[in-house]
Amino acid sequence: MSKKKVLIVTQEMEPYTSLSQVSEMVRQLAPYVQENNMEIRVLMPRFGTINERRHRLHEVVRLSGMNIIVDDDDYPLIIKVASLPEARMQVYFLDNEDFFKRKQIFKNEKGEPFEDNADRTVFFCKGVLETVKKFGWAPDIIHCHGWMTSLIPLYLKTAYKNEPLFEPAKIVYSSYASDTFSAHFNENFATKASINNLSEEDLHNYQNGDQVQLESGAIHYADAIVRGSEELTEEATEALANTDKPVLAYDEENYRANLIEFYQSLLTEEVES
């Protein structure tokens, strides 16, 4: 039997970034998935805080060269790769000078969220899916970690729903307690996030009046949800209370083993259906 393929998409991961709990949880999970006889690929942003020389990043020329459209503007996508120390696995980095060259991650020197965080989110989420298409690698599980990955479940269930490469994939979204920054996204978010003629209805679950709700939207479109933290945002807690989808409870001690079982249950469900 061929190995199941797991795509992990994350906004952070140690040792490259250590901004929040997301970084540590993904660092623990990724090698463990590989050790449990699954193929794995990890995609994350190449923030300017990442030291390319120290971590030995280098460009993957065959994957680079695409342009990603955000709000009617074209942005070149550069793909870089590094080997995760002591794990014998590769991590792919999505890079763009406009969005990721700066030496901060989500906030400027004054502690204020970047005004283009919405654009950066759209670029990253769309860039991930276009990169996986270029891989020609069909994942069985797509596991998204953190608010910056929150548009991927939407895109997979709408704009990319007829893409054969993604058809078998189960989409898992991990919600964490960290600030989602969505309160700082302006009224143009829906326009920016809308790709391939998505309708207002498609994006309805990402907004509550004038407020952007990234967690609610991701939970609505995902096939299953993981509580990545003991405490979640009020928005995520409310969304989980109103869903009938599979939800993996938070259990820090048994996090990795429980997730493997969770993956297996989703894959078994797919076979039975």
Side-chain angles (χ1 to χ4, degrees), residues 142-211:
I142 299 175
H143 192 166
C144 301
H145 294 260
W147 63 268
M148 199 178 189
T149 71
S150 61
L151 291 174
I152 289 176
L154 162 71
Y155 292 161
L156 285 169
K157 292 298 178 68
T158 54
Y160 288 80
K161 67 180 179 181
N162 295 320
E163 177 60 52
L165 197 73
F166 298 120
E167 193 173 346
K170 290 290 186 180
I171 308 162
V172 180
Y173 181 74
S174 275
S175 181
Y176 294 86
S178 57
D179 180 8
T180 68
F181 290 86
S182 58
H184 306 282
F185 287 13
N186 62 32
E187 65 276 6
N188 296 325
F189 171 72
T191 303
K192 294 177 185 295
S194 182
I195 62 172
N196 297 15
N197 298 316
L198 295 185
S199 68
E200 286 188 21
E201 183 62 29
D202 292 326
L203 285 151
H204 171 74
N205 290 281
Y206 286 84
Q207 297 203 244
N208 182 8
D210 293 333
Q211 296 295 312

Side-chain angles (χ1 to χ4, degrees), residues 235-253:
E235 174 195 330
T237 301
E238 183 177 339
L240 288 177
N242 294 314
T243 188
D244 58 358
K245 296 175 181 179
V247 178
L248 180 64
Y250 177 72
D251 182 351
E252 185 176 6
E253 186 175 343

Side-chain angles (χ1 to χ4, degrees), residues 82-142:
S83 296
L84 188 65
E86 302 174 5
R88 301 184 71 179
M89 59 175 287
Q90 292 185 315
V91 178
Y92 292 87
F93 298 82
L94 277 67
D95 198 4
N96 171 269
E97 188 164 315
D98 292 287
F99 292 136
F100 300 130
K101 186 176 183 180
R102 64 199 71 164
K103 293 298 182 181
Q104 302 85 24
I105 297 183
F106 299 127
K107 298 180 180 180
N108 63 23
E109 296 94 334
K110 298 179 181 179
E112 301 164 337
F114 289 120
E115 292 184 1
D116 64 349
N117 275 338
D119 303 71
R120 300 165 89 206
T121 298
V122 174
F123 176 87
F124 178 63
C125 290
K126 189 174 180 183
V128 163
L129 298 180
E130 289 299 320
T131 299
V132 176
K133 281 176 61 178
K134 210 158 187 180
F135 281 155
W137 185 81
D140 298 288
I141 297 279
I142 299 175

